[in-house]
Amino acid sequence: MNTSGIRAQFPIFKDNSLVYLDSAATAQKPQCVIDAEKSFYENENASVKRGMYKLAERATEEFESAREKVRSFIGAKSANEIVFTKSATESINLVAKSYGEKFLKKEDTVLLSILEHHSNIVPWMQLKERIGINIEWVHLKNGELDMEELKSKLEKFSPKLLAITCASNVTGVVTSYKEITDLAHDVGAKVVLDAAQLVPHREINIQDIDCDFLVFSGHKVYGPTGIGVLYGKEELLEDMPAFLGGGSMIQEVTEDGFTETHLPDKFEAGTPPIAQAIGLGVAIDWISDIGWEAIEKHEEELRKYAYQKLSELPFITFMDPAVRGPRSAVRSIGCLSFVTNGIHPHDLTEYLGSKGICLRAGHHCAQPLHKYLGHTASTRMSLGIYNSKEDIDKMCEAISEAYKFFLGENAIKSTTSK
Ligand SMILES: Cc1ncc(COP(=O)(O)O)c(C=O)c1O
């Protein structure tokens, strides 16, 4: 892949010294996405869905065409199954509140995995507080979800719902989300997949996976912030009550009550994120133009390189307990978290930040996973299409410098000789 050609499309990299390795938090935006939002406000700005004039009709067409692009991007059957929200977080909250309160009852089990981001934990805990569901967990074996534990918990608890990530935002491990979906369906459970970290890196097809719900965020797929996607099977969304109340989600309002409108408007109360949806549509076109094959090949090469270079640093321990060689491409996205002996992740990451090398430190909104793996925090490096081997070299050099800075000149020598 011509990385410099790709980088040139991102205005933020006009600053040549910027080393951005935090795409799991949010991806940078290509010029075409920025232009699409700007152009909407300059040329087409109007509210959507109820337009009685040309401008509003055009805005509505663009907005609905973005929905169609998302539908095709994930291979859903119908555009009615694509709900625009503000984020992956809001999409999961929508399912927990709307589906959860109507279809789950006290003591029904929801099965989560220890890999989950807080966005796919807390909404279920809030549901537990409201209606008294039971939450059970699946843990890890060799860094991957323990499928034996999963099967035995499916059998023991007959959960009504599984909420599972497709890829960890800490270790990068990709779960067997298709197999998990099939196993869950065998015991009659519904499946919510958190694809926030998978969708920027892998092509998916909803109809092949056959999950009941799937969520992701626009800003991690090179699109704007403020736009998220909820995919839901049409028959399920039809039976679920609206999440938020307000304009656009009603058929009729009287002094006595209201009736809900059709899909997907029923779940899009108020003025939706119009420019953001259009920007997301352009990001999807941009990804399709590059092509999944090229993206996956480039990121896989870099992931292996990053793993190799980081492994050469003797004071680094990977968070993934099973990493003894990098996982195969199907089992991991380009996201690696680690701790360094003797330096707190925040100190290390702040040092790197002072050199213009952007990584993330903390628990990455996955506190249960950190606790399970015996850490309170880690440093995370995550890749995007625009990264190069040079970025990884700069990161590794700066980590070595940091080690000397915090622990003294001889620290590396003594670590190596141990
Ligand atoms: C795995 C995973 N799920 C959900 C989210 C939440 O995404 P957002 O903050 O865009 O709602 C994130 C964000 O980092 C994530 O990594």
Side-chain angles (χ1 to χ4, degrees), residues 337-350:
S337 298
F338 51 88
V339 290
T340 40
N341 308 342
I343 316 178
H344 192 278
H346 282 106
D347 291 335
L348 172 70
T349 312
E350 204 176 335

Side-chain angles (χ1 to χ4, degrees), residues 247-267:
S248 294
M249 50 68 72
I250 51 88
Q251 192 75 48
E252 190 186 17
V253 183
T254 65
E255 286 191 3
D256 298 322
F258 69 95
T259 49
E260 292 176 354
T261 192
H262 52 78
L263 287 175
D265 295 6
K266 175 170 85 168
F267 292 110

Side-chain angles (χ1 to χ4, degrees), residues 53-260:
Y53 49 90
K54 271 258 159 322
L55 204 57
E57 280 166 16
R58 263 199 1 240
T60 305
E61 270 166 31
E62 292 276 316
F63 181 70
E64 291 305 328
S65 133
R67 195 189 307 277
E68 175 52 29
K69 286 178 190 179
V70 172
R71 182 207 65 73
S72 152
F73 183 60
I74 61 171
K77 254 192 242 157
S78 156
N80 282 344
E81 300 181 315
I82 307 298
V83 176
F84 284 131
T85 61
K86 102 173 139 53
S87 59
T89 302
E90 187 177 285
S91 300
I92 297 170
N93 275 274
L94 190 163
V95 179
K97 176 99 175 108
S98 171
Y99 184 88
E101 286 189 4
K102 179 159 178 193
F103 293 103
L104 302 187
K105 48 185 196 316
K106 197 170 171 12
E107 284 167 21
D108 278 348
T109 295
V110 167
L111 195 54
L112 305 178
S113 93
I114 199 71
L115 291 172
E116 302 313 310
H117 185 281
H118 295 167
S119 293
N120 201 23
I121 298 175
V122 181
W124 304 109
M125 289 180 164
Q126 289 173 317
L127 184 64
K128 178 179 175 162
E129 282 175 3
R130 289 197 300 273
I131 67 167
I133 56 160
N134 172 41
I135 293 178
E136 294 293 333
W137 298 85
V138 179
H139 302 89
L140 306 182
K141 188 172 177 187
N142 297 326
E144 305 208 15
L145 278 194
D146 183 342
M147 295 301 279
E148 289 313 310
E149 186 187 5
L150 181 111
K151 285 177 200 161
S152 86
K153 290 205 163 150
L154 285 176
E155 200 172 305
K156 182 165 173 203
F157 296 103
S158 294
K160 289 285 182 311
L161 187 141
L162 263 76
I164 303 274
T165 193
C166 295
S168 161
N169 69 316
V170 177
T171 65
V173 71
V174 172
T175 60
S176 303
Y177 50 87
K178 163 71 184 147
E179 189 189 345
I180 293 171
T181 300
D182 292 344
L183 289 167
H185 284 166
D186 286 347
V187 300
K190 296 287 182 256
V191 177
V192 182
L193 292 182
D194 176 357
Q197 292 297 342
L198 188 74
V199 162
H201 306 289
R202 295 281 190 282
E203 186 172 19
I204 63 162
N205 185 291
I206 283 284
Q207 290 180 67
D208 287 349
I209 304 169
D210 194 35
C211 56
D212 300 289
F213 300 98
L214 178 139
V215 309
F216 67 95
S217 282
H219 69 98
K220 295 190 203 280
V221 278
Y222 308 96
T225 52
I227 180 85
V229 171
L230 165 67
Y231 159 83
K233 281 186 178 160
E234 193 161 357
E235 62 272 24
L236 294 175
L237 293 176
E238 285 289 3
D239 282 349
M240 287 160 53
F243 170 51
L244 299 172
S248 294
M249 50 68 72
I250 51 88
Q251 192 75 48
E252 190 186 17
V253 183
T254 65
E255 286 191 3
D256 298 322
F258 69 95
T259 49
E260 292 176 354

